[in-house]
Amino acid sequence: MIKPIVTSLIMLRMPSEEATPEDAQVGQDLLDTLAAHAHECVGLAANMIGVHKRVIVVQDGSKARLMYNPDIIRGAGEYRTEEACLSLQGTRPTARWRRIKVSYLDEEFHQHVRTFTGEVAQAIQHEIDHCNGVVI
Ligand SMILES: [Zn+2]
């Protein structure tokens, strides 16, 4: 189901809790909501649709990649950039890693450890920040 986007900073700054298989519907709602905003957005975190669970979706090429409980194990190649966010107005400066190693559970709750680079790595970092209650 396509959900409205939360813009309240009070809501966005609350850290999210670990997700469980019972949060599968949250994942589906994130996929549906990202698809509805595909022209303006490359990722979403669950708290942006009002659910304080650690679930994110990022556009990875042609695939919308769902991640439960994502964690950055390692980052390399720090750089400064500007980002926009569907929950905020305008762009803001931030620091990111060019390459990250991430552990996460996929849509079937299978564990993965994978390295991501470039735009998808940037989107994952932005959405994990949301899980931690951090807005750019
Ligand atoms: Zn955002």
Side-chain angles (χ1 to χ4, degrees), residues 27 30-31 34-35 41-46 48 55-68 70 100 102 104 114 116-131:
L30 280 173
L31 290 169
L34 181 65
C41 171
V42 293
L44 289 172
M48 295 173 70
V55 191
I56 69 171
V57 63
V58 293
Q59 197 64 40
D60 186 358
S62 60
K63 178 183 168 66
R65 186 179 296 284
L66 202 51
M67 298 174 147
Y68 292 88
I100 52 172
V102 184
Y104 65 97
R114 271 197 56 175
F116 296 90
T117 60
E119 286 178 8
V120 66
Q122 184 177 2
I124 290 168
Q125 291 169 84
H126 180 108
E127 304 314 333
I128 289 177
D129 274 357
H130 274 300
C131 294

Side-chain angles (χ1 to χ4, degrees), residues 3-4 32 40 47 51 61 63 71 74 78 86 96 106 111 123 127:
K3 298 286 188 177
D32 295 343
E40 58 181 342
N47 65 347
V51 179
K63 178 183 168 66
D71 258 320
R74 195 159 65 225
E78 193 176 18
L86 208 51
R96 298 296 181 206
D106 66 17
Q111 176 90 40
E127 304 314 333

Side-chain angles (χ1 to χ4, degrees), residues 2-110:
I2 299 168
K3 298 286 188 177
I5 301 297
V6 170
T7 58
S8 157
L9 286 177
I10 292 169
M11 294 288 286
L12 291 170
R13 285 181 174 145
M14 286 172 55
S16 294
E17 297 173 359
E18 291 286 295
T20 72
E22 289 173 13
D23 296 312
Q25 185 61 48
V26 179
Q28 186 58 52
D29 291 345
L30 280 173
L31 290 169
D32 295 343
T33 306
L34 181 65
H37 291 277
H39 59 289
E40 58 181 342
C41 171
V42 293
L44 289 172
N47 65 347
M48 295 173 70
I49 59 168
V51 179
H52 288 91
K53 293 296 185 84
R54 299 183 70 88
V55 191
I56 69 171
V57 63
V58 293
Q59 197 64 40
D60 186 358
S62 60
K63 178 183 168 66
R65 186 179 296 284
L66 202 51
M67 298 174 147
Y68 292 88
N69 300 328
D71 258 320
I72 296 171
I73 300 168
R74 195 159 65 225
E78 193 176 18
Y79 67 105
R80 298 206 61 84
T81 185
E82 295 245 334
E83 290 179 357
C85 176
L86 208 51
S87 289
L88 307 170
Q89 300 282 331
T91 62
R92 299 178 187 203
T94 186
R96 298 296 181 206
W97 305 107
R98 292 198 187 281
R99 172 185 292 265
I100 52 172
K101 192 174 195 181
V102 184
S103 79
Y104 65 97
L105 303 170
D106 66 17
E107 62 274 17
E108 291 171 334
F109 278 79
H110 296 144

